[in-house]
Amino acid sequence: MSLDQLIEKCKKNDTKAQSDLYKLYSGKLFALCLKYSRNKAEAEDNLQDAFVTIFNKISQYKGRGSFEGWLKRVTVNTALQRYRNKGVFDIVNEEQLEDIYVEVENDMIDLDFLLASIQELPDRYRLVFNLYALDGYSHKEIGKLLGISTGTTKSNLSRARMILKEKVNNYQAKLSSQTL
Amino acid sequence: MSDKKNIDRLFQEKFKDFEVTPNASVWGNITEQLSTASKQKKVAPLWWKIAGVAAGLLLLFSIGNLILNTNNDTPEEIIVNTDSETPIKDNSSQKIPTILDSLNSQEVVNENSTKEQSTHANKILNNNSKETDPNLSIQKSKRTTLASTNEDNTQKNDVKTSLEKVLTNKENKSDALAVVRDKAEDKISDEDKINEEKLDISTVEVANVTEKDEKAQEDQMSIPKVIAENNESDTNEIEETKTNKWSLTPTIAPVYFNSLGSGSSLHEQFNNNAKTGAVNMSYGISASYAINDKLSVRTGIHNVNLGYSTNDIVVYNNLQTASNNNLLRNVKLNKEGQLLTFISADDFQYAQVPGVLSNQINATIDQDLRFLEIPVELQYSLTNAKLGVSIVGGFSALFLNNNDIYSVQNGKSILLGKATNINNMSYSANFGFGLDYKISKKINLNFEPIFKYQLNTFNNTSGNFKPYFFGVYTGFSFKF
């Protein structure tokens, strides 16, 4: 069955098709949720909400743009929804830092560590870093999504990078001390 | 293999194919949420249908009401005008009813003489004009009287003072008449003259007509504008108090019919068979009159369909047209029905039955009834807020309209005949609750779950057959 057929069936509330769609995309979307959430439980909640929205609104997907892209946008929006109206986006800081480089031993860095580092970021830094660095949103889009200025998103991004760099450096130092 | 790279790149590369299988419980939660959502969606169409029917009834009713109202306009006003005892703010207006009363009482006292006078007046009129119709002649006499009053009257008092005069001299007939003369002052034109004595007599007539036919009076009698205005304000006030007295409610209700006990209306062999009540529709219209704020009485007419199934019945073809009617004691079987035999699966013994029938066990006997219901109920409201709560109790008269018995097996139903034990007229005792939501001053949305216990619908039932039906009556009520 092609993806288009699957989508059509989902539009008719076919439960089998919904289950198939879930199996197809839940892995990717859950990974997305994990990045945007503080922890696994919150990510699961987001995934659940995202899929309910997806199945209820699937008739709004008219085949323009990739379906996966649409699913991701819905999921990201669901994750962001959690932080709207929570005062998370209120801090205004126009300070901007340069691009940050970090020296890495690529193979040695564990994915779980990186995920944990992201999840430990303050809420807004985490969201901005995810949106910009990992999911390709522009500062302008991020500003709109979060209701903040582009200056603020840029500043948040820099701070997120700083924190992550420090974590990665510490992690590597720890690793190399263990291996020695 | 050390490498200096942008921190974004590091994360991008690592997360490129990042996938994690979520906990299985997540999918469970999703399906649960989706199914509750779809259930809510399924409910909607039924409500749409009901709302559609209600809207249709509303439209029909409002058209009907419009027509009725235009027909009723004139008589209603007359009724309103006769009730001139409602409190009125203005000084002068307080006096008018009194004058009318005083004139009225004089009229009662002098009933005999009035008759004479009226004939007298007619005579006079006949002298003056060619009128022969007594009613018309009275009106004519008014005109003539008033006309002459103008000429004769030397008093230039305004209406108010003359009214006061009457009040102080209630028993003085001539004064009262003088007032009427004064009242007529404005519109008086030159017409035939009559001498004063005759004038007095016909003025009494005028007073009588004043009360009976205010409308005609407005044109001809010409009571001063003050009075006319006051009467108008009376009319308005009275109509306002009347606003909430009457209401009409087209209703529609799903009704569920069943028996409280375990008997059967068909035959004693089915006493212990499982019965399934059917949900049917009842629709109709009711009219309600508010006795006071709390209590209202109402009646109406409803079409009610009721039905129930007796389950677990074995049906088989008779070998010959046998006299098996005794197995369905209370049913008059038609030709097709006479070819069949019905036995409760409870009593079923294979030895009794000519073989090949083991799969026939799933039949049901369905009874379909239709009544015309005329309820008489009292409604007592507990709260009068935007959302009102009330209790409802009363009786219904049920007139049998249709009565069929079917045998249903594997989805096929065969008409068997009619029940013989249903009264053409029977009663039910009704009790229920009412919720009404006040959409506007004139329109309420009602929602009334009502339980109706049938008192004597069936004769000759067996076991503990106690039929009832339960309906949730919904409709918009229109006050007027």
Side-chain angles (χ1 to χ4, degrees):
Chain A
M1 186 163 43
S2 78
L3 180 61
D4 287 343
Q5 284 172 321
L6 190 63
I7 294 168
E8 279 312 307
K9 282 193 173 179
C10 284
K11 285 181 182 178
K12 289 168 187 158
N13 289 325
D14 181 318
T15 30
K16 173 75 171 58
Q18 287 175 337
S19 167
D20 288 347
L21 191 84
Y22 178 80
K23 279 176 198 155
L24 210 56
Y25 289 105
S26 59
K28 275 181 186 157
L29 297 184
F30 187 48
L32 194 62
C33 288
L34 282 170
K35 289 189 298 179
Y36 280 83
S37 306
R38 293 186 187 106
N39 51 52
K40 197 179 166 193
E42 196 180 292
E44 283 180 347
D45 284 352
N46 283 339
L47 184 69
Q48 184 186 323
D49 292 348
F51 265 103
V52 170
T53 310
I54 286 164
F55 290 133
N56 285 335
K57 301 273 173 76
I58 194 160
S59 57
Q60 292 178 9
Y61 174 69
K62 304 288 185 202
R64 283 189 292 270
S66 87
F67 183 61
E68 193 176 318
W70 183 78
L71 294 178
K72 283 184 170 174
R73 273 201 305 283
V74 172
T75 308
V76 168
N77 272 324
T78 308
L80 295 181
Q81 197 63 46
R82 188 170 292 271
Y83 298 102
R84 292 205 175 102
N85 314 319
K86 276 196 179 175
V88 175
F89 306 137
D90 293 346
I91 321 143
V92 177
N93 191 338
E94 300 289 325
E95 184 189 358
Q96 194 184 343
L97 303 170
E98 294 161 21
D99 275 3
I100 292 156
Y101 288 84
V102 63
E103 234 164 278
V104 285
E105 300 265 345
N106 212 358
D107 300 333
M108 290 177 67
I109 299 182
D110 184 30
L111 186 65
D112 284 343
F113 160 74
L114 290 181
L115 180 62
S117 307
I118 290 178
Q119 289 180 340
E120 284 163 12
L121 285 172
D123 288 334
R124 191 160 73 179
Y125 295 174
R126 182 176 70 251
L127 300 179
V128 172
F129 181 77
N130 272 315
L131 287 166
Y132 184 87
L134 302 185
D135 294 315
Y137 286 78
S138 71
H139 280 299
K140 204 175 164 185
E141 285 170 314
I142 296 166
K144 257 190 193 166
L145 278 172
L146 303 186
I148 54 181
S149 73
T150 50
T152 312
T153 69
K154 284 175 186 169
S155 150
N156 289 161
L157 180 65
S158 298
R159 290 185 165 271
R161 282 170 176 160
M162 287 271 287
I163 295 167
L164 290 173
K165 180 195 168 190
E166 206 179 318
K167 285 192 172 173
V168 171
N169 285 341
N170 289 343
Y171 176 79
Q172 283 186 314
K174 204 170 148 193
L175 270 186
S176 49
S177 69
Q178 278 171 359
T179 46
L180 281 175
Chain B
M1 231 186 79
S2 187
D3 194 10
K4 194 180 184 187
K5 62 170 69 178
N6 185 307
I7 189 115
D8 291 8
R9 285 281 297 155
L10 168 71
F11 279 89
Q12 277 162 11
E13 280 173 15
K14 282 283 180 186
F15 281 109
K16 208 168 84 185
D17 299 313
F18 180 46
E19 273 190 44
V20 186
T21 310
N23 197 317
S25 66
V26 175
W27 176 241
N29 293 340
I30 291 167
T31 50
E32 205 173 285
Q33 239 176 302
L34 287 173
S35 70
T36 52
S38 68
K39 266 180 203 162
Q40 282 165 357
K41 274 179 194 166
K42 275 175 197 162
V43 172
L46 179 69
W47 278 105
W48 276 107
K49 279 179 197 167
I50 292 171
V53 172
L57 287 171
L58 190 154
L59 192 71
L60 274 177
F61 169 73
S62 43
I63 291 168
N65 193 33
L66 243 163
I67 294 163
L68 281 174
N69 265 0
T70 49
N71 289 344
N72 288 341
D73 263 351
T74 326
E76 263 176 31
E77 266 181 43
I78 287 166
I79 292 160
V80 166
N81 283 334
T82 25
D83 282 352
S84 41
E85 284 162 7
T86 28
I88 302 150
K89 297 150 206 165
D90 177 309
N91 268 343
S92 64
S93 61
Q94 277 178 346
K95 288 153 199 163
I96 292 140
T98 336
I99 295 161
L100 295 176
D101 283 350
S102 71
L103 290 172
N104 198 26
S105 60
Q106 283 162 20
E107 203 248 344
V108 173
V109 173
N110 301 321
E111 203 178 83
N112 294 329
S113 63
T114 313
K115 271 181 188 168
E116 284 171 20
Q117 285 161 350
S118 83
T119 49
H120 194 33
N122 284 344
K123 276 180 198 165
I124 295 156
L125 267 162
N126 287 335
N127 291 339
N128 288 327
S129 66
K130 306 290 179 189
E131 290 290 346
T132 45
D133 182 311
N135 285 328
L136 285 174
S137 66
I138 289 167
Q139 292 180 0
K140 183 72 179 172
S141 76
K142 276 186 273 168
R143 210 182 288 152
T144 53
T145 316
L146 297 168
S148 35
T149 319
N150 190 29
E151 298 272 308
D152 298 337
N153 194 0
T154 47
Q155 294 174 350
K156 296 293 176 188
N157 294 341
D158 68 344
V159 179
K160 260 195 178 177
T161 50
S162 63
L163 289 176
E164 277 160 13
K165 220 177 177 181
V166 175
L167 270 178
T168 51
N169 301 306
K170 264 184 191 172
E171 57 288 321
N172 188 327
K173 187 180 172 181
S174 62
D175 271 8
L177 293 171
V179 170
V180 179
R181 266 181 263 151
D182 288 345
K183 278 195 261 173
E185 213 168 59
D186 289 352
K187 263 202 183 172
I188 289 154
S189 60
D190 305 326
E191 276 194 49
D192 317 55
K193 292 177 189 174
I194 308 167
N195 70 47
E196 278 231 53
E197 237 176 86
K198 288 167 189 166
L199 199 157
D200 285 351
I201 295 159
S202 49
T203 324
V204 176
E205 282 302 318
V206 172
N208 291 339
V209 179
T210 305
E211 285 181 271
K212 286 173 189 161
D213 193 351
E214 193 86 31
K215 268 222 148 172
Q217 200 182 28
E218 269 172 33
D219 294 333
Q220 301 177 9
M221 240 301 272
S222 75
I223 285 185
K225 279 168 194 166
V226 193
I227 296 172
E229 274 167 21
N230 286 328
N231 278 339
E232 259 172 41
S233 70
D234 280 2
T235 313
N236 292 339
E237 277 176 31
I238 290 159
E239 269 170 7
E240 254 178 48
T241 54
K242 276 195 168 183
T243 303
N244 299 327
K245 289 279 184 192
W246 288 95
S247 71
L248 267 185
T249 313
T251 57
I252 186 156
V255 285
Y256 173 80
F257 175 83
N258 213 331
S259 163
L260 289 175
S262 62
S264 170
S265 72
L266 301 170
H267 193 276
E268 46 271 43
Q269 65 160 328
F270 303 123
N271 283 358
N272 295 319
N273 284 43
K275 316 284 192 310
T276 312
V279 176
N280 284 305
M281 290 313 275
S282 166
Y283 54 87
I285 188 158
S286 41
S288 155
Y289 178 76
I291 297 166
N292 57 36
D293 273 358
K294 292 274 182 194
L295 198 63
S296 61
V297 62
R298 67 186 189 183
T299 183
I301 187 158
H302 299 268
N303 183 52
V304 195
N305 287 329
L306 300 176
Y308 82 103
S309 306
T310 307
N311 301 327
D312 303 324
I313 286 173
V314 181
V315 183
Y316 59 89
N317 285 308
N318 297 330
L319 296 177
Q320 69 262 355
T321 316
S323 57
N324 272 320
N325 289 4
N326 62 338
L327 291 177
L328 276 175
R329 174 162 58 85
N330 290 327
V331 182
K332 185 175 187 292
L333 294 169
N334 62 14
K335 267 189 185 173
E336 263 177 305
Q338 282 167 13
L339 294 171
L340 300 166
T341 296
F342 304 88
I343 295 179
S344 165
D346 292 350
D347 302 330
F348 188 78
Q349 287 162 19
Y350 281 87
Q352 273 188 316
V353 182
V356 219
L357 302 165
S358 43
N359 61 340
Q360 309 281 33
I361 206 159
N362 289 322
T364 64
I365 294 181
D366 290 3
Q367 180 154 33
D368 285 354
L369 303 171
R370 195 165 71 225
F371 295 97
L372 210 60
E373 182 194 358
I374 297 182
V376 178
E377 289 163 339
L378 279 175
Q379 183 167 23
Y380 184 79
S381 66
L382 302 172
T383 68
N384 229 348
K386 181 96 175 159
L387 182 69
V389 181
S390 57
I391 49 175
V392 178
F395 289 87
S396 285
L398 298 165
F399 300 90
L400 185 65
N401 209 340
N402 193 40
N403 154 27
D404 287 321
I405 291 187
Y406 297 88
S407 151
V408 181
Q409 192 174 17
N410 302 327
K412 279 188 278 183
S413 77
I414 305 165
L415 180 65
L416 295 180
K418 291 183 182 304
T420 55
N421 62 332
I422 302 175
N423 291 326
N424 281 331
M425 188 191 173
S426 58
Y427 295 97
S428 71
N430 310 340
F431 181 77
F433 290 95
L435 292 175
D436 59 275
Y437 181 74
K438 293 165 188 67
I439 295 169
S440 76
K441 249 187 170 178
K442 299 258 179 188
I443 302 171
N444 281 9
L445 176 60
N446 295 336
F447 186 78
E448 300 177 340
I450 295 181
F451 179 87
K452 300 187 176 179
Y453 183 74
Q454 286 169 279
L455 297 172
N456 57 342
T457 306
F458 297 86
N459 299 320
N460 275 330
T461 57
S462 49
N464 196 20
F465 189 74
K466 288 180 174 165
Y468 69 89
F469 62 100
F470 177 78
V472 180
Y473 294 79
T474 310
F476 291 94
S477 67
F478 304 87
K479 296 176 177 178
F480 58 94

